[in-house]
Amino acid sequence: MCKKLLITNGRILTMAGKVLPKGCVLTENGRITAVADQIEIPEDKDTEIIDASGCLVMPGLIEAHCHVGITEEKKGMEGDDCNENVSPVTPWLRALDAINTMDAAFDDAVRAGITSIMAGPGSSNVVGGQFVFLKTKGRRIDDLIVKEPAAMKIAFGENPKVNFMDQQKSPVTRMAIAGLLREELFKAREYQKKKQAWQKKNQGKSPSSPDSTFEPDFRMEPWLPVLEGKIPLKAHVHRADDIFTAIRIAKEFGLSMTLDHCSEGHLIAEELAKEGFPAIVGPDLSSRSKIEVQNMAFKTAAVLHQAGVLVAITTDHPVTLIQSLPLCAGLAVKSGLPMEEGLRAITCNPARICRVYDRVGSLEPGKDADIAIFTGNPMETFTKTMCTIINGTIAYRDENF
């Protein structure tokens, strides 16, 4: 691995407000150190120079909601660790413990210019567990983590209903889904108060110290980052009524949240804009396989954006394959999303929504050197990925580049 990379002669799309028709990007020790029209070529031998003439250079693409590595392709039960679907409330589960970095989808992502993903449990449970935000190249997942935990997965509507109806236990109605979630959040808040009271009484002493008398609750501790506003709820919601139920509960407890899928968002866009929760839209490049997605449409992202909602695009891999992410954004553009917003929906917007914009999502000095080089606009079908760089290291390079 060389310590420095210098990308020259490319059209630089920083996704931070600056476009350089023919510019350069310099990276060192995994970080971007300079983005400019011209950068003097370092004389040291540790710098690798990449000539990006005729190519588009932009931040690595970001998938804001997927199940890469936790639902592996063509492996059946053995490769499916997405849902602990015998229990409706499992906040203590961590996607980190189930994601297999050897899943072929990681390589597919890299070849598509996707450098980071938000991956985690599915939507069979009311509370599924903790998501992790990670890079897409490497063998040991511990080395790929950007943020963990990154969100707490919750789900409304058809999936939990169907799963537990088959088991003949609660929840089998939308009322029960909301009721179970409220009950869990109430218990979590009471636990938080108990812990805070103990700390106040013991003058800030750590509850985890060897001589502590505080009894931690393993199943409640994962809720503390949510209640403290450090991570959001990640709500699986398709139907308008489920979207509003999720918002109602989040507001009751004063929690931040992302609206994932948001399939009927275009029907209630103005209301959603007033509420201020961001939307991760998709997967629209799939069949209307469930009742609750009958109003699914590529126009959703455009309508939400026009109303003022912060929007990212998702494949929900493996529902739609991860490498289709830029094409999904392109189809949203075809249906009315402005071109610039289509690119933002797979770069800086998901970085902001996933709370990792300080690290990824744009080409700026100090950020991770996650860079994708394309023959043109990645949202166009015939565009090829020529090079994918993650943490300043070339993770993929086309044989003709």
Side-chain angles (χ1 to χ4, degrees), residues 54-72:
C55 292
L56 177 66
V57 180
M58 61 183 293
L61 308 186
I62 300 171
E63 166 60 83
H65 174 118
C66 70
H67 310 289
V68 169
I70 198 169
T71 300
E72 300 176 64

Side-chain angles (χ1 to χ4, degrees), residues 344-366:
R344 292 173 68 87
I346 51 177
T347 54
C348 54
N349 284 5
R352 288 191 170 95
I353 292 170
C354 297
R355 303 188 181 187
V356 289
Y357 187 63
D358 62 322
R359 296 274 304 270
V360 297
S362 65
L363 300 181
E364 299 178 87

Side-chain angles (χ1 to χ4, degrees), residues 248-363:
R248 191 180 311 116
I249 293 174
K251 290 172 69 176
E252 285 175 20
F253 289 88
L255 306 176
S256 58
M257 179 175 65
T258 66
L259 300 172
D260 292 47
H261 309 309
C262 207
S263 297
E264 292 190 352
H266 57 283
L267 303 178
I268 52 174
E270 297 298 330
E271 290 296 321
L272 295 187
K274 293 176 186 176
E275 298 294 348
F277 295 100
I280 301 172
V281 177
D284 295 326
L285 190 62
S286 60
S287 66
R288 295 182 176 88
S289 58
K290 299 185 295 181
I291 298 297
E292 65 183 9
V293 299
Q294 294 307 297
N295 288 312
M296 179 176 70
F298 278 108
K299 69 179 181 180
T300 303
V303 176
L304 288 172
H305 165 69
Q306 289 161 5
V309 177
L310 181 63
V311 173
I313 300 290
T314 177
T315 63
D316 195 19
H317 177 94
V319 181
T320 298
L321 295 179
I322 185 76
Q323 59 266 37
S324 301
L325 179 64
L327 300 182
C328 290
L331 288 166
V333 170
K334 183 180 179 181
S335 297
L337 189 67
M339 183 71 72
E340 176 72 9
E341 284 303 316
L343 293 170
R344 292 173 68 87
I346 51 177
T347 54
C348 54
N349 284 5
R352 288 191 170 95
I353 292 170
C354 297
R355 303 188 181 187
V356 289
Y357 187 63
D358 62 322
R359 296 274 304 270
V360 297
S362 65
L363 300 181

Side-chain angles (χ1 to χ4, degrees), residues 42 63 74 81 92 101 110 142 175 204 240 299 303 324 349 391:
E63 166 60 83
K74 297 180 68 175
D81 291 293
W92 58 90
T101 61
V110 171
D142 308 76
M175 293 182 293
K299 69 179 181 180
V303 176
S324 301
N349 284 5
N391 295 329

Side-chain angles (χ1 to χ4, degrees), residues 157-180:
E158 192 170 334
N159 285 16
K161 282 186 60 176
V162 170
N163 179 54
F164 291 102
M165 186 174 292
D166 288 345
Q167 299 180 48
Q168 296 187 330
K169 68 180 184 181
S170 185
V172 298
T173 65
R174 283 178 163 82
M175 293 182 293
I177 291 170
L180 281 171

Side-chain angles (χ1 to χ4, degrees), residues 352-401:
R352 288 191 170 95
I353 292 170
C354 297
R355 303 188 181 187
V356 289
Y357 187 63
D358 62 322
R359 296 274 304 270
V360 297
S362 65
L363 300 181
E364 299 178 87
K367 288 195 172 185
D368 293 4
D370 291 359
I371 304 166
I373 303 175
F374 301 103
T375 55
N377 188 327
M379 298 187 295
E380 295 177 347
T381 306
F382 296 108
T383 295
K384 293 181 64 177
T385 306
M386 302 309 291
C387 190
T388 303
I389 299 163
I390 300 177
N391 295 329
T393 299
I394 296 174
Y396 166 76
R397 189 168 191 164
D398 186 271
E399 59 183 8
N400 297 315
F401 185 65

Side-chain angles (χ1 to χ4, degrees), residues 183-199:
E183 179 185 37
E184 179 71 6
L185 287 170
F186 178 83
K187 290 179 180 177
R189 190 167 61 184
E190 292 302 302
Y191 175 76
Q192 180 190 41
K193 291 177 182 177
K194 178 183 176 182
K195 188 172 185 178
Q196 290 174 340
W198 185 92
Q199 289 176 304

